[in-house]
């Protein structure tokens, strides 16, 4: 049934006085005529009104009474009419109602991130690389990516990353190492079978003065299973073979210094120094024992710097407030290295919390942050417990603002991430855990006047004074030269780590982030992970008082349907330990207002706020103590 037929049938059915209006009144409304036919019933749609139903030509009330008596005498026919009206209403709501309009808006936004680059785009990227590297061969490069992808899978399954150490930035190496340790801490390991690469495609090229970054979308499939750590190899493989064959897509980002030339004799085989070709054993130092080169710096070959999702083809580097002025003082500063350092700090932060050992951050974070982590763990439910992060994954890492001070410079880095989270007694395996999407700001600090060491490149886990690899000791000093590392005198260190709303609530000298949650555009569309995070936060707010009533569940279910979030995930979040949400729920005040403003933008994705969305906003405002502020906030977006 097309839209016009649906509306016409609905119009006829709703003109009957015995039937109620649909759609909450926002599409159709009943009204009394001001003409002499005061007893007639009218149905209007916009400015177009219908003729009244009557038994004769005069529109008298007797005609209306005749129809009423007819339906009273034919109850089955009446029920049939009501049934048809309900079906038509459901069809209209499903295809043209507020929920459908909102879903379409989000689907269109989500599909933009999956756009395929054109052949012209790819040719342009290859030509750009050829200008500085005439020997660059795209097909050879993709073969190299495929081989590395499979070698990384093998190293992961074996629990030994040394065979691929040369090809990974320090942050990427730390990511894999921490993920393996998280599995070991739960006495499990991940086993894969039938791993196959289905397709590789370049999806973007970024060029800066410091690095060329080439993004490659990898579509693959495999069977995988988490098995007990001590399970014999053949039995573990048998379990993996019994798992379903699942496809997956990842975007791998490779960086290389501009002007680096491809080897004329082709890519080096694994286990060779990319500078001199001598054997390299994958040692933790990352230096060639023959020529001394830092093998994963990006100065000699492509290095895997990040694994993310949703990279858009041809993305240009963003304008970061404060970056240009800092580069004037520190020409070697690059976003690529800064984001790799932030990623290194993030994974070290995850590792320290999961182990329940904050001092492991001693070389990478300020003393105040390490002390705060220790106090938080001790106070958590009044006894020594560890916060566990499983299946941790990063969606994106992006520098958002650089804030220069007289003595210290801060770099605010937004990290979108998710993990299965649980709070359990130390050494006790967790039960069912909720996967919680997160949006945090990691603020990195460095003393004013410190310069970036360009020679280190993507090797960011090194002493900023002597260049030696960071050791495993819990002392805040370099194990080689003794320099203090946690004060920002030599490199960026972690000063703050907090949810986005908490960070946004504090006054800053820099302008606010111009991201989805802070820009004032009415047509801003939030990505799927951010919608899920916001819905989980709403669930946490509802559960904060220890009980979620039926009305709150209906509201959460409606939002889940409209925003494209599986409601079973919301239920899992509702049943999680409330302590998990203690830093996720925004507090009344500026942080809560930031969150509420984001919800308003989310409701406005289809251009209007309907009655149900307004109720959702009113409920959120009440929870945040912002009921009086909501009308003013709506007025900013042109809503009364």
């Amino acid at each position: 049934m097309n839209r016009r037929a649906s509306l016409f049938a609905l119009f006829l059915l709703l003109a009957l006085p015995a039937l109620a209006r649909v759609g909450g009144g926002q599409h159709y409304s009943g009204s009394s005529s001001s003409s002499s036919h005061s007893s007639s019933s009218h149905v209007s749609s916009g400015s177009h009104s219908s003729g009244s139903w009557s038994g004769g030509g005069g529109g008298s009330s007797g005609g209306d009474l005749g129809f009423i008596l007819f339906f009273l005498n034919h109850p089955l026919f009446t029920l049939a009419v009501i049934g048809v009206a309900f079906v038509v209403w459901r069809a209209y709501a499903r295809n043209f109602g507020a929920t459908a309009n909102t879903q379409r808006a989000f689907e269109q936004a989500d599909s933009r991130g999956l756009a395929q680059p054109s052949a012209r785009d790819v040719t342009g990227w290859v030509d750009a690389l050829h200008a500085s590297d005439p020997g660059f061969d795209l097909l050879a490069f993709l073969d190299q990516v495929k081989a590395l992808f499979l070698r990384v899978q093998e190293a992961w399954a074996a629990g030994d990353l040394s065979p691929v150490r040369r090809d990974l930035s320090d942050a990427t190496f730390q990511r894999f190492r921490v993920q393996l340790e998280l599995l070991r801490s739960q006495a499990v390991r991940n086993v894969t079978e039938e791993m196959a690469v289905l397709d590789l495609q370049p999806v973007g090229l970024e060029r800066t003065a410091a690095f060329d970054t080439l993004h490659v979308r990898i579509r693959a499939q495999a069977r995988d299973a988490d098995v007990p750590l001590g399970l014999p190899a053949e039995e573990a493989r048998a379990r993996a073979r019994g798992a379903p064959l699942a496809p997956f897509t990842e975007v791998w980002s490779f960086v290389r210094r501009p002007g680096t030339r491809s080897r004329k004799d082709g890519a080096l085989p694994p286990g060779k120094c990319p500078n001199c070709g001598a054997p390299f054993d994958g040692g933790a130092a990352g230096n060639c024992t023959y020529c001394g080169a830092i093998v994963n710096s990006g100065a000699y070959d492509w290095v895997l710097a990040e694994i993310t999702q949703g990279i858009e083809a041809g993305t240009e580097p963003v304008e970061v407030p404060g970056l240009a002025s800092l580069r004037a003082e520190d020409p070697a500063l690059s976003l690529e290295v800064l984001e790799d350092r932030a990623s290194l700090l993030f994974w070290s932060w995850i590792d320290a919390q999961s182990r329940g050992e904050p001092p492991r951050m001693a070389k990478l974070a300020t003393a105040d942050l390490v002390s705060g982590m220790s106090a938080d763990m001790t106070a958590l439910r009044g006894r020594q417990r560890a916060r566990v992060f499983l299946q941790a994954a990063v969606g994106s890492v992006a520098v958002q603002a650089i804030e220069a001070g007289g003595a210290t410079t801060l770099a605010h880095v937004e990290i979108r991430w998710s993990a299965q989270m649980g709070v359990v007694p130390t050494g006790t395996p967790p039960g069912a855990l909720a996967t919680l999407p997160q949006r945090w700001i990691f603020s990195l600090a460095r003393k004013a006047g410190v310069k970036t060491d360009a020679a280190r490149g993507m090797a960011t886990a090194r002493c900023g004074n002597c260049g030696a690899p960071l050791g495993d000791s819990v002392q805040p000093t370099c194990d080689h030269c003794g320099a203090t590392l946690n004060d920002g005198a030599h490199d960026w260190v972690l000063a703050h780590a907090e949810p986005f709303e908490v960070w946004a609530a504090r006054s800053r000298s820099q302008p606010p982030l111009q991201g989805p949650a802070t820009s004032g555009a009415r047509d801003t569309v939030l990505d799927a992970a951010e919608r899920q995070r916001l819905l989980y936060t709403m669930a946490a707010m509802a559960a904060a008082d220890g009980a979620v009533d039926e009305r709150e569940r209906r509201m959460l279910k409606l939002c889940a349907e409209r925003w494209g979030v599986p409601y079973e995930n919301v239920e899992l979040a509702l049943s999680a330990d409330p302590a998990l949400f203690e830093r996720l729920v925004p507090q009344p005040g500026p942080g809560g207002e930031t969150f509420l403003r984001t919800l308003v933008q989310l409701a406005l994705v289809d251009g209007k706020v309907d009655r149900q969305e307004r109720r959702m906003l009113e409920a959120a405002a009440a929870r945040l103590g912002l009921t009086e502020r909501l009308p003013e906030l709506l007025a900013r977006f042109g809503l009364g």
Side-chain angles (χ1 to χ4, degrees), residues 233-256:
E234 188 53 42
E235 188 175 345
R237 294 182 61 186
R239 289 197 186 183
R241 285 193 294 269
L245 188 63
F248 60 95
T249 301
E250 296 177 344
V251 178
W252 286 29
S253 299
F254 293 86
V255 301
R256 191 180 70 170

Side-chain angles (χ1 to χ4, degrees), residues 14 32 60 131 239 249 263 273 285 297 313 362 371 377 382 428 535 581 621:
L14 294 181
S32 297
S60 67
R239 289 197 186 183
T249 301
R263 297 177 63 93
C273 169
S297 65
S371 176
M377 284 185 185
T428 302
L535 186 57
F581 295 103

Side-chain angles (χ1 to χ4, degrees), residues 207-222:
R207 309 201 77 192
T208 67
F211 289 97
D212 292 332
T213 304
L214 190 54
H215 306 289
V216 179
R217 181 182 294 148
I218 303 175
R219 291 189 175 92
Q221 65 181 20

Side-chain angles (χ1 to χ4, degrees), residues 67-413:
F67 272 101
I68 293 174
L69 292 175
F70 174 79
F71 282 106
L72 289 176
N73 291 326
H74 299 80
L76 293 180
F77 180 77
T78 303
L79 291 176
V81 170
I82 294 174
V84 172
F86 178 77
V87 171
V88 172
W89 171 73
R90 289 290 295 174
Y92 176 85
R94 186 166 50 251
N95 293 287
F96 307 108
T99 296
N101 290 338
T102 302
Q103 289 172 336
R104 275 195 291 270
F106 286 133
E107 288 169 359
Q108 291 171 2
D110 293 342
S111 65
R112 285 199 291 268
L114 302 176
Q116 297 292 329
S118 67
R120 186 175 183 178
D121 290 332
V122 176
T123 300
W125 302 333
V126 173
D127 290 344
L129 291 171
H130 275 161
S132 58
D133 178 15
F136 177 77
D137 185 326
L138 179 61
L139 294 180
F141 170 75
L142 293 178
D143 284 342
Q144 188 177 348
V145 171
K146 179 179 179 180
L148 177 62
F149 177 85
L150 295 175
R151 286 194 294 115
V152 166
Q153 309 304 322
E154 293 175 2
W156 171 270
D160 179 11
L161 299 172
S162 58
V164 294
R165 183 69 183 91
R166 182 198 74 177
D167 305 285
L168 310 179
S169 72
D170 281 358
T172 306
F173 176 77
Q174 177 76 336
R175 168 184 180 155
F176 290 145
R177 188 191 68 79
V178 170
Q179 289 174 325
L180 284 173
E181 287 298 327
L182 290 176
L183 288 172
R184 291 191 187 105
S185 70
Q186 303 304 307
V188 298
R189 63 188 179 98
N190 183 254
V191 181
T192 61
E193 283 289 308
E194 300 180 35
M195 178 69 67
V197 176
L198 305 177
D199 178 60
L200 296 99
Q201 183 177 26
V203 293
L205 173 67
E206 298 170 18
R207 309 201 77 192
T208 67
F211 289 97
D212 292 332
T213 304
L214 190 54
H215 306 289
V216 179
R217 181 182 294 148
I218 303 175
R219 291 189 175 92
Q221 65 181 20
R223 304 180 192 274
D224 80 289
D226 290 340
V227 302
L229 197 59
L231 194 68
E234 188 53 42
E235 188 175 345
R237 294 182 61 186
R239 289 197 186 183
R241 285 193 294 269
L245 188 63
F248 60 95
T249 301
E250 296 177 344
V251 178
W252 286 29
S253 299
F254 293 86
V255 301
R256 191 180 70 170
R257 288 272 178 82
T260 302
R261 299 294 184 95
S262 301
R263 297 177 63 93
K264 294 181 179 179
D265 55 352
L268 281 174
K272 300 289 185 179
C273 169
N275 182 44
C276 69
F280 175 70
D281 62 3
N287 291 90
C288 175
T289 55
Y290 292 85
C291 69
I294 302 176
V295 297
N296 66 334
S297 65
Y300 311 105
D301 202 352
W302 296 98
V303 171
L304 177 60
E306 190 56 86
I307 301 174
T308 57
Q309 299 293 332
I311 296 294
E312 293 188 14
T315 300
E316 293 296 327
V318 297
E319 290 292 332
V320 176
L323 177 62
S325 59
L326 186 57
R327 268 191 180 150
E329 303 175 4
D330 181 13
L333 178 71
S334 72
L335 292 179
E336 295 88 350
V337 171
L338 186 52
E339 289 170 357
D340 197 77
R341 176 73 173 181
S343 186
L344 174 80
L345 299 178
F346 167 79
W347 286 107
S348 299
W349 178 78
I350 291 285
D351 184 42
Q353 291 191 90
S354 293
R355 292 173 181 266
E357 301 174 6
R360 295 181 69 87
M361 290 288 294
K363 289 180 170 61
L364 298 170
T366 64
D368 287 344
L369 185 134
V370 174
S371 176
M373 289 176 62
S374 298
D376 181 59
M377 284 185 185
T378 301
L380 195 59
R381 289 208 164 185
R383 59 184 183 273
Q384 185 62 40
R385 293 160 69 89
R387 192 184 300 268
V388 177
F389 300 85
L390 299 177
Q391 302 296 330
V394 169
S396 64
V397 179
V399 179
Q400 295 291 354
I402 294 178
E403 188 177 346
T408 303
T409 300
L410 293 175
H412 305 293
V413 185

